[in-house]
Every structure is written in structure tokens, then in C-alpha cells.
């Protein structure tokens, strides 16, 4: 049975202890599956490099790669197993795809899970009993190239693996912290946030309906307030990996392919500026438009 692919906005590290509306939605989605994946491949903007690499630990640990937050955050653990075998499979798929700029995938047997990886999984799989492998993000590759990397990962979905891309649908930390930290929950969303994510979801509908990702991949030039929503775009790049894994190889959009559909399962805005939009992609190839969060 094919697993969906997910994009999750992980927001602030406080998501772990103040889940707001998003945390319960992630937990409910996981519980509704009635099963667990054989493994999880996670991509997070908190592991970046000039090339791709995979974590190959036998046993994962949570890295508290942040500062200035309440002490209780630093006591949290996520001791999921690793999977060197899954890492080898991912390496083989990506290297075989020969995506420009991603032709070689390194391996790292020491790298722990950063908070962009383990915090969402505390809500999805709190028992930490599903093997996890993390794929580093190369922020120097374009959105179009990230989509191609995602396409290379699509076969994993038929092998019992959940592809989980973690980032943020908007990510301007200067507006969170610039005049003193805003309240996490309660502030009304800034108008530019709504304009940006409205454009993005329209472009996502177009990409899924037609299979043409040109418009959404060019978001930085075309979307309103793109550079305010993302002064740097590393927190949005995992979204494009998820989109590619949903679309699958170019040939998958032909006759007989199960069409992709997407649901926005969370649409909270924290601090008034961090859009927590999270998406579940089902099927494979071009298909149906966005279904809104409940």
C-alpha cells in the first residue's frame, strides 16, 4: 500500500511543548492511518550542506540545536532506531536519478536528528518505534531541482516508507523576534502571510492539475511578498521535495497512474507570521486540487 508524502511546518521549537492547533492535527492524522510505516525519510532545513548526505546511525538521538527556550525542551528525547539499510536504498535512488547537483549522496554515521526532524515526529509517532533516516538539504539547489530529488524518492512510498519534509510555509524570524518575541498563539496573521500562502496554494493546485511545476518553482519571482515571507528560502525548499515525491517520475503522470491529491491538514499561523500549513499528498502524478483544512 502506497504511503502519502507529507510537508509539515514545524514552526518554533515550542511546538514540542505548546502544540497549539497543529500538534493535535498531526497526531490525529497518524492515528487515523491505523498502521505505521516501515521507515521514515525526513528532510529538514536544519541539516544543510553543499552536497546531499544521509544519516546512517543504528540508533537515533534528538539534538537540541536551539537556544534561549524553556529548560523543559532540553529534557525531551526521541530515541527512534535508525536504518542504514534504508539509507543505502535512498542513496541508490537519488544517485541513479542523476539530478544535476545531486549526483552523489554522502553518509554520516554520527549526525543526530535536528529539531526540524524529531519535533514533528513526536506528534506523529510518539513511541519513537519507527526507524528514521534523515537526508540533508542542499540550499544552493533551486526549487525545480528539489522537485527532481523528490521525484527520485517517490518509489520509497510503495516500499512502506513515509517521506516527511519538514520546514515552514512562511519563515521570517526577524518579524518574530525583532521587537521582542510575539505571543505564539493569538496574534492575527499579517496580511502578507495570507497573500503569500494564497498564491502558493493556487500554484500548487495548478502543478497537481497539470503536472507543470514551472510556476510554483518560480515562486520567488512570482509570488507576492515572497522575500518577506522567506528572506532566505531554506525553510520552504523541503516543500518542493515533498511535491516531487507526490508527483513521482515524469512517466508516472501517464495513463493508468493514480492521480495525486493534496489536503491541507493544518493552517494555523503562529506569532502572526509563521504559517504552519501542513500538507498530505496522496496518490502519484498530476491530479486533484487542494482540499482545505477541516
Amino acid at each position: 500500500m502506497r504511503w502519502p508524502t507529507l510537508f509539515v511546518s514545524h514552526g518554533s521549537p515550542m511546538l514540542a511543548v505548546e502544540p497549539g492547533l497543529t500538534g493535535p492535527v498531526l497526531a490525529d492524522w497518524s492515528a487515523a492511518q491505523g498502521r505505521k510505516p516501515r521507515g521514515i525519510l525526513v528532510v529538514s532545513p536544519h541539516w544543510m550542506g553543499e552536497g546531499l548526505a544521509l544519516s546512517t546511525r543504528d540508533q537515533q538521538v534528538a539534538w537540541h540545536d536551539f537556544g534561549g527556550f524553556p529548560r523543559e525542551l532540553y529534557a525531551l528525547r526521541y530515541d527512534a532506531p535508525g536504518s542504514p539499510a534504508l539509507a543505502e536504498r535512498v542513496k541508490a535512488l537519488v544517485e541513479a536519478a542523476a539530478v544535476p547537483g545531486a549526483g552523489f549522496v554522502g553518509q554520516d554515521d554520527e549526525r543526530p536528528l535536528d529539531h526540524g526532524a524529531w519535533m514533528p515526529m513526536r506528534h506523529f509517532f510518539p513511541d519513537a518505534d519507527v526507524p528514521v533516516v534523515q537526508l540533508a538539504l542542499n540550499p544552493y539547489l533551486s526549487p525545480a531541482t528539489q522537485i527532481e530529488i523528490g521525484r527520485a524518492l517517490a518509489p520509497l512510498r510503495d516500499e512502506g516508507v513515509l517521506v516527511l519534509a519538514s520546514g515552514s510555509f512562511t519563515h521570517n524570524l526577524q518579524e518574530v523576534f525583532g521587537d521582542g518575541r510575539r505571543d505564539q498563539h493569538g496574534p492575527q496573521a499579517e496580511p502578507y502571510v495570507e497573500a503569500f500562502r494564497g498564491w502558493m496554494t493556487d500554484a500548487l493546485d495548478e502543478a497537481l492539475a497539470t503536472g507543470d511545476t514551472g510556476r510554483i518553482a518560480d515562486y520567488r519571482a512570482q509570488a507576492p511578498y515572497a522575500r518577506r515571507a522567506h528572506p532566505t528560502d531554506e525553510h520552504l525548499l523541503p516543500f518542493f521535495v515533498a511535491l516531487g515525491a507526490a508527483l513521482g517520475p515524469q512517466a508516472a503522470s501517464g495513463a493508468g497512474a493514480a492521480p495525486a491529491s493534496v489536503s491541507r491538514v493544518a493552517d494555523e499561523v503562529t506569532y502572526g507570521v509563521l504559517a504552519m500549513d501542513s500538507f498530505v499528498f496522496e496518490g502519484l502524478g498530476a491530479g486533484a486540487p487542494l482540499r482545505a483544512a477541516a
Side-chain angles (χ1 to χ4, degrees):
M1 183 180 296
R2 175 174 294 147
W3 271 89
T5 184
L6 308 181
F7 172 76
V8 175
S9 292
H10 62 253
S12 159
M14 292 300 292
L15 177 69
V17 293
E18 295 180 3
L21 300 175
T22 302
V25 167
L26 305 184
D28 289 348
W29 178 85
S30 180
Q33 303 312 298
R35 56 184 177 137
K36 291 182 179 179
R38 180 177 66 83
I40 301 167
L41 176 68
V42 61
V43 182
S44 160
H46 296 283
W47 185 12
M48 297 190 297
E50 293 185 1
L52 300 185
L54 287 155
S55 62
T56 58
R57 299 175 63 111
D58 290 310
Q59 180 65 50
Q60 299 286 8
V61 294
W63 182 19
H64 302 86
D65 55 328
F66 46 79
F69 289 91
R71 184 174 299 176
E72 61 186 308
L73 275 180
Y74 301 92
L76 297 179
R77 302 172 63 95
Y78 197 79
D79 298 330
S83 178
L86 175 56
E88 286 288 349
R89 175 63 173 147
V90 174
K91 177 179 172 68
L93 285 171
V94 175
E95 292 183 348
V99 176
F104 174 75
V105 182
Q107 296 177 303
D108 189 329
D109 62 3
E110 297 183 352
R111 175 84 186 190
L113 295 174
D114 61 61
H115 76 272
W118 64 265
M119 284 192 171
M121 288 191 292
R122 280 182 59 86
H123 296 288
F124 282 123
F125 303 107
D127 294 334
D129 56 353
V130 180
V132 178
V133 169
Q134 185 166 356
L135 175 65
L137 178 74
N138 184 341
Y140 303 104
L141 300 179
S142 68
T145 302
Q146 307 290 349
I147 290 171
E148 294 308 307
I149 293 170
R151 290 184 187 274
L153 300 172
L156 295 171
R157 298 175 55 202
D158 290 321
E159 300 171 10
V161 176
L162 174 65
V163 178
L164 171 60
S166 174
S168 191
F169 212 48
T170 62
H171 192 257
N172 188 326
L173 295 186
Q174 178 61 35
E175 296 193 12
V176 175
F177 300 110
D179 297 320
R181 185 178 297 174
R182 299 178 179 218
D183 291 336
Q184 183 177 7
H185 304 291
Q188 185 173 357
E190 293 285 345
Y192 84 86
V193 172
E194 300 291 13
F196 175 79
R197 66 180 187 167
W199 186 95
M200 285 291 294
T201 53
D202 285 346
L204 176 59
D205 275 349
E206 179 181 307
L208 288 176
T210 67
D212 183 353
T213 59
R215 180 179 172 221
I216 198 166
D218 194 34
Y219 88 95
R220 206 147 181 85
Q222 297 191 39
Y225 306 104
R227 293 179 185 275
R228 186 176 177 187
H230 289 278
T232 57
D233 66 352
E234 75 286 338
H235 271 71
L236 191 60
L237 291 178
F239 169 84
F240 296 102
V241 177
L243 176 57
L247 291 170
Q250 294 283 359
S253 59
S261 63
V262 61
S263 300
R264 179 163 52 186
V265 295
D267 60 1
E268 179 183 18
V269 177
T270 59
Y271 303 101
V273 294
L274 290 186
M276 298 292 290
D277 299 59
S278 298
F279 300 91
V280 176
F281 295 91
E282 306 272 2
L284 194 72
L290 177 71
R291 296 194 298 271

